[in-house]
Amino acid sequence: MDLKEFLEIMDSGKEVDATSQTQQFMLDAAQEALKLTAELNSGYHTPQEICMIFSKIIGKRVDPSFRLFPPFYTDCGKNITIGKNVFFNAGCKFQDQGGITIGDDTLIGHNVVLATLNHSLSPEKRANTVPAPIRIGKKVWIGSNVTVLPGVTIGDGAVVAAGAVVTKDVPGNTIAAGVPARVIRSVDSSDGKVK
């Protein structure tokens, strides 16, 4: 199995058997991610060095406008796509096997968790995983200590308040807060004022 085949399977959303070749590839990818994140998280790196290391982690070049304050953690890395002028604050943890897409001009706060895998609800198949993508639009602000669960889309211009657990889609230009997160108000996209 190669990376392209692995990503096609993960992007299909089909359950992955814990004893499959796909699962083994996932475990091998995790070892590479652990090695590269250890490099990223050890010592000081210039913004350019961070872009270079992060590009290795995700397997594609990131825009030079990308900024990240380490530490950063992922157990795969190869299914992350980010736009221009994106910022990750310290302590973010991405489980990206199911796919994470982040649009331009988005801000990700301290200790944000993006999780794209569920486990089977059947006790006999509990070790199996079910991938589902997380899609984050443009100009989104995700506050500190937010957890976003598999299959969630956060629309352009949305704000997710600190500490929220996002279990459902968040429409664009809204503010979501709470556990579980719910929309509490709208934001005017032209001037940023709360409605």
Side-chain angles (χ1 to χ4, degrees):
M1 171 172 289
D2 64 15
L3 179 60
K4 184 175 185 271
E5 291 172 298
F6 170 73
L7 293 177
E8 285 173 2
I9 291 167
M10 298 311 287
D11 292 343
S12 76
K14 295 178 184 170
E15 187 170 317
V16 175
D17 187 287
T19 62
S20 68
Q21 183 182 12
T22 304
Q23 181 71 18
Q24 186 57 53
F25 189 95
M26 194 182 313
L27 294 172
D28 294 342
Q31 293 307 303
E32 181 183 353
L34 289 169
K35 179 181 173 189
L36 291 169
T37 55
E39 178 185 348
L40 175 69
N41 296 334
S42 63
Y44 171 77
H45 299 287
T46 66
Q48 296 77 18
E49 291 168 335
I50 288 173
C51 283
M52 184 185 69
I53 298 166
F54 197 81
S55 294
K56 286 186 210 173
I57 290 169
I58 68 171
K60 52 192 159 251
R61 188 176 180 280
V62 295
D63 190 81
S65 63
F66 172 68
R67 291 293 178 263
L68 177 150
F69 290 172
F72 170 83
Y73 303 96
T74 182
D75 56 0
C76 181
K78 300 302 188 232
N79 211 359
I80 298 172
T81 303
I82 59 173
K84 295 178 181 178
N85 202 34
V86 170
F87 173 70
F88 298 170
N89 219 323
C92 291
K93 298 166 188 75
F94 291 7
Q95 179 194 53
D96 64 282
Q97 290 89 338
I100 294 172
T101 304
I102 300 172
D104 296 345
D105 303 308
T106 288
L107 308 171
I108 309 290
H110 290 91
N111 302 314
V112 167
V113 174
L114 304 180
T116 65
L117 291 179
N118 276 318
H119 285 276
S120 175
L121 293 178
S122 166
E124 291 76 28
K125 297 180 179 182
R126 188 60 44 87
N128 290 1
T129 54
V130 182
I134 292 173
R135 295 179 181 94
I136 300 170
K138 297 176 181 180
K139 300 181 190 252
V140 171
W141 174 20
I142 299 180
S144 297
N145 297 302
V146 167
T147 298
V148 181
L149 297 184
V152 167
T153 295
I154 299 173
D156 294 346
V159 175
V160 180
V165 176
V166 186
T167 62
K168 297 180 188 171
D169 292 353
V170 176
N173 298 314
T174 62
I175 300 172
V179 179
R182 61 181 180 78
V183 172
I184 58 171
R185 55 187 152 205
S186 297
V187 176
D188 186 320
S189 63
S190 64
D191 64 11
K193 292 186 178 175
V194 176
K195 294 181 186 179

